[in-house]
Amino acid sequence: MLTFSILGALQIRTASGPAEISGDLQRTLVQTLLVSEGQSVSGEALVEEMWGEGAPDNQANALQAHVSRLRRKLRGLEPDRTTSRVTIHPSGYRLTVNEGELDAAEFVRTVRQAETLGSGSPEEAAQLLRQALAMWRGPVFGGFTGGTLCQLAGARYEEYRMRAMELRFDAELRLGRHAAVLAELAETHTSHPLRERFCEQLMIALYCAGRQADALDVFRRMRRHLADELGIEPSPALRQVESAILSHDPALSGDVRAPLLQLT
């Protein structure tokens, strides 16, 4: 069995250790087939992804040569496998990846599982989301994004990562762990200054830590930043958190954390 990792630099692992995929074109081919998650990719799309405007004159032959090379490589990594992982269909080329073999697919599955728990099981949700986020070793493909298909997939997985972080902070705050996540929240808000959800969560954590003035200062800086960068005002959700802090809304503190984030 092989496992494929793209939440970081491309990795293929076998029972005996990692296997190297050499060459930018081969890496782009593997990455494009992987992000298609079992769906066929047309030859035209693969050529565009691998070569862009610099496609060779004999692009069909060049693509077939790279596909054949990849098939030989994967066959050598799984000598007991009876069928090739890379198959050709009328609609294009397909790489067979089974459940549990692609880290990005497992990451998305785990995030969705945590989402279905809602606010009723914050401990279980937090544990699932910590496990999911631990799958990331760096930017998708290690920053080697290739063409449009890989770039779009990278953006999709990155958005899932942001969502996983938001859900995890929600769960931790519901459990009253504002002090434990405060430093991480501050760093995350700094790294993503236009993502209002992180700002809301940081404000709530600061308020629950007895730092109301700091929480309101975060809001004021966020409002200036939104105006300077985008020419917009804070969202109603963000303004609602500010209002709750100013009025010392009981939903922001106390022993029962479930209602805490219903404000936003």
Side-chain angles (χ1 to χ4, degrees):
M1 174 177 145
L2 301 180
T3 58
F4 302 87
S5 300
I6 60 174
L7 302 181
L10 173 66
Q11 283 188 354
I12 300 178
R13 297 191 67 87
T14 70
S16 57
E20 182 180 357
I21 297 294
S22 59
D24 289 352
L25 291 173
Q26 280 285 292
R27 286 200 296 275
T28 302
L29 174 60
V30 174
Q31 290 175 178
T32 307
L33 292 172
L34 283 172
V35 299
S36 301
E37 296 188 9
Q39 300 301 309
S40 297
V41 185
S42 70
E44 292 81 1
L46 286 173
V47 167
E48 175 64 26
E49 198 76 5
M50 293 169 68
W51 287 284
E53 296 181 357
D57 293 335
N58 58 341
Q59 53 188 245
N61 291 338
L63 174 60
Q64 186 57 53
H66 277 282
V67 170
S68 296
R69 179 181 167 192
L70 176 59
R71 294 178 81 175
R72 289 194 300 271
K73 176 71 175 181
L74 297 179
R75 189 181 304 118
L77 297 177
E78 294 181 296
D80 296 332
R81 188 181 178 91
T82 57
T83 59
S84 176
R85 277 189 180 265
V86 182
T87 52
I88 304 175
H89 304 268
S91 56
Y93 298 86
R94 178 175 180 265
L95 174 62
T96 299
V97 180
N98 299 318
E99 185 175 345
E101 292 182 342
L102 177 62
D103 63 346
E106 288 301 293
F107 171 75
V108 171
R109 182 189 63 78
T110 305
V111 174
R112 289 174 175 170
Q113 182 181 354
E115 278 187 300
T116 62
L117 293 174
S119 60
S121 304
E123 188 68 68
E124 185 179 354
Q127 183 177 354
L128 281 173
L129 292 161
R130 283 193 293 267
Q131 292 172 357
L133 290 164
M135 297 180 190
W136 286 73
R137 299 172 288 107
V140 180
F141 311 127
F144 180 77
T145 52
T148 302
L149 293 177
C150 287
Q151 291 167 13
L152 290 173
R156 182 173 72 251
Y157 294 133
E158 179 63 22
E159 181 59 32
Y160 264 105
R161 186 174 76 91
M162 294 295 101
R163 179 61 178 152
M165 293 170 68
E166 291 172 350
L167 289 169
R168 188 209 140 206
F169 287 135
D170 279 356
E172 301 286 11
L173 290 172
R174 284 194 176 93
L175 292 164
R177 296 172 182 162
H178 47 271
V181 299
L182 189 52
E184 188 179 355
L185 255 175
E187 181 181 355
T188 302
H189 172 57
T190 300
S191 300
H192 306 279
L194 295 176
R195 191 120 181 157
E196 291 189 53
R197 188 65 181 136
F198 292 140
C199 182
E200 297 168 21
Q201 293 169 321
L202 176 58
M203 290 169 62
I204 292 170
L206 286 166
Y207 177 82
C208 291
R211 297 169 58 182
Q212 178 180 355
D214 289 336
L216 294 172
D217 185 57
V218 166
F219 175 81
R220 286 189 290 268
R221 286 188 282 112
M222 183 67 170
R223 182 171 57 191
R224 287 195 301 268
H225 194 64
L226 289 171
D228 293 344
E229 293 293 324
L230 302 177
I232 63 174
E233 288 294 313
S235 67
L238 187 53
R239 293 197 301 271
Q240 191 175 11
V241 173
E242 180 208 24
S243 177
I245 290 172
L246 287 170
S247 63
H248 298 281
D249 193 309
L252 291 172
S253 58
D255 296 328
V256 180
R257 296 289 167 172
L260 182 145
L261 291 161
Q262 291 178 5
L263 284 166
T264 60

